[in-house]
């Protein structure tokens, strides 16, 4: 994708300026780690930004993760 013009964020911190972030991960623990682990997306996403998770994971966990993100203003 980079060869076609996409930017390489390099890390989660590099995504801080994005209005919309899309994730697609293999399992519930992976999503939780990417969102809430050390240096995870939840630490850099701004209020008003949007996370779109396209992972095939637990719908219950998805709701819990969404609620946690909503607490900081991330949709």
């Amino acid at each position: 994708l980079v060869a076609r013009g996409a930017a390489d964020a390099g890390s989660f911190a590099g995504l801080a300026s994005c209005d919309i972030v899309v994730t697609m991960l293999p399992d519930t623990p992976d999503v939780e780690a990417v969102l809430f682990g050390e240096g995870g997306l939840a630490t850099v996403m701004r209020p008003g930004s949007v996370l779109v998770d396209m992972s095939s994971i637990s719908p219950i966990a998805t709701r819990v993760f969404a609620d946690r993100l909503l607490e900081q203003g991330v949709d």
Side-chain angles (χ1 to χ4, degrees):
L1 289 175
V2 172
R4 294 183 175 251
D8 180 353
S11 69
F12 295 135
L15 298 173
S17 64
C18 294
D19 295 325
I20 301 170
V21 175
V22 178
T23 59
M24 188 180 303
L25 299 159
D27 203 357
T28 301
D30 300 315
V31 175
E32 184 171 26
V34 165
L35 294 179
F36 304 109
E38 186 175 336
L41 284 171
T43 65
V44 299
M45 293 187 76
R46 301 181 320 271
S49 58
V50 176
L51 175 78
V52 178
D53 179 42
M54 299 179 65
S55 307
S56 297
I57 66 169
S58 162
I60 295 168
T62 297
R63 187 73 245 162
V64 170
F65 298 161
D67 289 343
R68 288 177 68 183
L69 290 170
L70 282 170
E71 290 175 4
Q72 67 186 65
V74 175
D75 291 322

